[in-house]
Amino acid sequence: MTEPAWKSPTDARAEFRGGLRVPTAGWCAGWTQANLIAVPRALAYDMLLYAQRNPRPCPVLDVSDPGVVSTRLFGGDLRTDLPAYRIFERGELVGEVADARAVWRDDLVAFLIGCSFTFEAALAEAGVTLRHQEMGVNVPMYRTSLRTLPAGRLGGPLVVSMRPVPASLVATAVKVTARYPAVHGAPVHVGDPRTIGVTDLDAPDFGDPVEVRPGELPVFWACGVTPQAAVMESKPDFAIGHAPGHMGITDARDSEYLVP
Amino acid sequence: MTEPAWKSPTDARAEFRGGLRVPTAGWCAGWTQANLIAVPRALAYDMLLYAQRNPRPCPVLDVSDPGVVSTRLFGGDLRTDLPAYRIFERGELVGEVADARAVWRDDLVAFLIGCSFTFEAALAEAGVTLRHQEMGVNVPMYRTSLRTLPAGRLGGPLVVSMRPVPASLVATAVKVTARYPAVHGAPVHVGDPRTIGVTDLDAPDFGDPVEVRPGELPVFWACGVTPQAAVMESKPDFAIGHAPGHMGITDARDSEYLVP
């Protein structure tokens, strides 16, 4: 069987459509992964404006037209081809499903938002070990005390992902990821998590905890789960997101998002 | 009197509010200039999505809230503080005015879109003479045969600005402007204008013609007049744009849009 890293987006999406439910870090090397947030057309302007005002956590890669379940960048079926989905009603998480067809609505507009998994290969090449991949778990993600800029009915906290980085490689990690502004870019914070309102690294709000070893600093990147946190706080009638860490794998190449 | 290049955005906007009507190339060195397109709230989603799908011509710097006539980046009054405005009804240019208060509507959403004037200082520093500034005229702009990606009710041709560049400096001009992706970035075309459907360089669709001297190539950058061309083609009920070349001068620094 092909290793996840060497699968094509088409094959990976077929496996997820068939029911496989795993975090996608390390899958489909070289292919861009994306966060999903789908909202009714009546809320789509607010969501797109929210993303425009918060480009670090919400870099929009693509937007579906209402009633269409694929996009230019995503050749699969947005309702089935991610490993898992989260359903929100009035801001409450009411379910997590592997197939969203039963709850998908014709008026939904789907936003594909850049994901930091895209620069993980470049980090690894630069010598930064990805602890969550090493441990075989989901990347840890945290709600911070930093606020995003609101737009219309949407507002909420900044969500970040965290990777431990040896002190000697922090500058490298910054430089490598700064070259990918369309997938969150450089870190938003390095070091003491309390400064950004994260009190316990071992209790992430999304994903799994990972070990931060002596000599390592926790490094935080803006995260595409931020729109889901806005949905939870702002309580629109209905929204569907990906299960954090369980991304949509697109037909776009990581290299397209690399700044020269 | 202070030279235009050394004026502050506040002072420049006050002069335009007072009635001065000139192209703004070379004004307020170091301060970011912006294209304006304002449309009714009912069309705002289509316009924002059109911009998202066409980031080269339509990099969105800021968006106003309906009923508000300034934005985070633009401290002045959007209805009066640009040198001149164009009014469109059902896609027809029905007037050009220096003060848009009489026609501004409460439901308008204003989009500020990056302008290539932002990288002109960097071009000049790199040794590229800006012919339109040298000649004291407006930069020439052309409708091309290249199509933008449509969004909702909006679609149209790509509009470009043109600057003549000595052959030996074309690579420099590409490198310098590529570092400003938020204000159109690298050229979309170098050389023969007919390839992009421009048949007569001496007859620009907007702005003024400039001389292309022996040994120079015409170099074309995506232009923020593109949304006005979409309005002209798609014929929404109502829109207001800046008069081409007569930009909004913002309180943002050019350096904020420079990729490291």
Side-chain angles (χ1 to χ4, degrees), chain A residues 45 52-53 60 63 65 109, chain B residues 45 52-53 60 63 65 109:
Chain A
Y45 177 69
Q52 193 279 329
R53 290 186 176 163
V60 177
V63 183
D65 288 313
V109 174
Chain B
Y45 178 69
Q52 193 278 329
R53 289 185 176 164
V60 178
V63 183
D65 289 312
V109 173

Side-chain angles (χ1 to χ4, degrees), chain B residues 47 50 148 154-157 225-236:
Chain B
M47 185 57 80
Y50 181 74
T148 58
L154 292 173
V225 173
T226 300
Q228 293 193 33
V231 162
M232 286 181 247
E233 180 172 311
S234 311
K235 306 186 192 308

Side-chain angles (χ1 to χ4, degrees), chain B residues 86-133:
Chain B
R86 289 193 162 182
I87 322 296
F88 297 93
E89 289 178 8
R90 287 169 300 282
E92 294 295 316
L93 175 62
V94 295
E96 186 169 315
V97 297
D99 181 334
R101 278 178 296 182
V103 291
W104 199 274
R105 291 163 30 166
D106 277 349
D107 68 337
L108 287 183
V109 173
F111 297 83
L112 293 177
I113 290 183
C115 170
S116 55
F117 290 172
T118 301
F119 57 55
E120 287 194 339
L123 277 175
E125 260 180 60
V128 179
T129 306
L130 299 158
R131 186 69 34 79
H132 58 288
Q133 289 200 33

